[in-house]
Amino acid sequence: MLCVSAFAVLMIMRDRPSDLGLRPFGDHGTEPLPASPPSNAPILAAALGTLRDASKSRVFWALFLTFAICGASTAGLIQVHLIPMCLDFGIPQVQAASLLAAMGIFDFFGTICSGWLSDRFDNRWLLFWYYGLRGLSLVALPFTDFSFYGLSLFAMFYGLDWIATVPPTVRLTAQRFGSERANLVFGWIFAGHQIGAATAAFGAGLSRTLLATYLPAFFAAGALCLIAAAIVLTISRHPKPVLA
């Protein structure tokens, strides 16, 4: 069904009012409408061509794999399974949900600060610290005894790091693949994020079903984050555009 929906969007939906011979809402001007762009087929070809070219680069796969780990350790694990795991430790649902909400608040500030830092410092080292500290926090979580203070510190620390990986990843993508194709390349990198999230969501649920605990999934996610921290340092320090 998802494939059918995606195909329908690709064939039927349009990006601009001018594609349908209409003016933007509120535009009552008399200027001629711009020519409609070509069909979506060239767009799809451009996306697939970009994937073909980018996949020849080690930088692409480094960013793809680390962003897959990012998705596994955030959307796939914490966002899906943190509340059920808290229930296993006797924490009520409302309190566990409040913990997730607190992470969102700290995430707001962490992401803004990460964008500021990405414009001023080596993005490889930023990602190294982001993934490394996230991995350590996930490994340390089970040892907090899920006390109020332990969970509060985890929410603050992890929340600051939640989406902090996005700005330096986007910047590295633009540096290595050029601003003209950075959006398409990052789209494929983000696909890795979603693949990692889906894998972790399934894997953590499987761990809970077979082993009656989420802890192996959290330890595995922590270890993967430490691996991601090492992977980003394999990217060369000096930007060398990969795509023309």
Side-chain angles (χ1 to χ4, degrees):
M1 291 301 295
L2 288 175
C3 291
V4 172
S5 299
F7 181 77
V9 168
L10 184 64
M11 293 295 102
I12 298 174
M13 293 191 68
R14 295 294 178 263
D15 297 320
R16 306 168 186 84
S18 60
D19 296 347
L20 299 176
L22 301 174
R23 293 189 179 279
F25 183 75
D27 180 2
H28 304 293
T30 58
E31 293 293 328
L33 290 173
S36 297
S39 67
N40 285 324
I43 298 176
L44 180 60
L48 294 176
T50 298
L51 174 63
R52 180 198 61 218
D53 296 338
S55 63
K56 300 174 183 178
S57 166
R58 285 194 314 164
V59 175
F60 172 81
W61 290 112
L63 294 175
F64 184 92
L65 290 174
T66 54
F67 219 48
I69 293 172
C70 177
S73 58
T74 54
L77 183 65
I78 295 295
Q79 196 166 346
V80 176
H81 295 291
L82 180 64
I83 293 177
M85 188 176 75
C86 288
L87 291 175
D88 287 348
F89 286 86
I91 299 172
Q93 284 181 327
V94 174
Q95 184 177 341
S98 299
L99 181 69
L100 203 59
M103 289 182 185
I105 295 173
F106 286 106
D107 170 47
F108 175 79
F109 296 100
T111 305
I112 292 175
C113 291
S114 179
W116 185 88
L117 292 170
S118 297
D119 289 334
R120 292 162 175 80
F121 297 98
D122 189 334
N123 291 270
R124 301 174 313 123
W125 282 104
L126 289 178
L127 287 175
F128 171 82
W129 286 109
Y130 293 160
Y131 283 119
L133 294 175
R134 181 187 297 177
L136 293 176
S137 69
L138 289 171
V139 172
L141 176 61
F143 299 101
T144 63
D145 295 326
F146 288 83
S147 63
F148 173 79
Y149 296 105
L151 287 177
S152 297
L153 286 174
F154 174 78
M156 178 180 68
F157 190 82
Y158 186 91
L160 289 171
D161 198 346
W162 188 303
I163 307 183
T165 55
V166 174
T169 300
V170 172
R171 190 167 179 82
L172 283 172
T173 302
Q175 288 175 347
R176 271 29 181 214
F177 299 95
S179 57
E180 291 296 324
R181 302 178 77 178
N183 55 342
L184 290 175
V185 177
F186 183 72
W188 289 113
I189 292 172
F190 189 77
H193 184 281
Q194 300 305 88
I195 292 171
T199 303
F202 176 81
L206 187 65
S207 172
R208 177 64 176 80
T209 300
L210 298 180
L211 304 175
T213 178
Y214 284 111
L215 296 185
F218 275 76
F219 288 134
L224 285 173
C225 286
L226 297 178
I227 292 173
I231 290 175
V232 294
L233 293 184
T234 65
I235 301 174
S236 61
R237 180 175 182 178
H238 301 290
K240 295 179 180 179
V242 177
L243 302 181

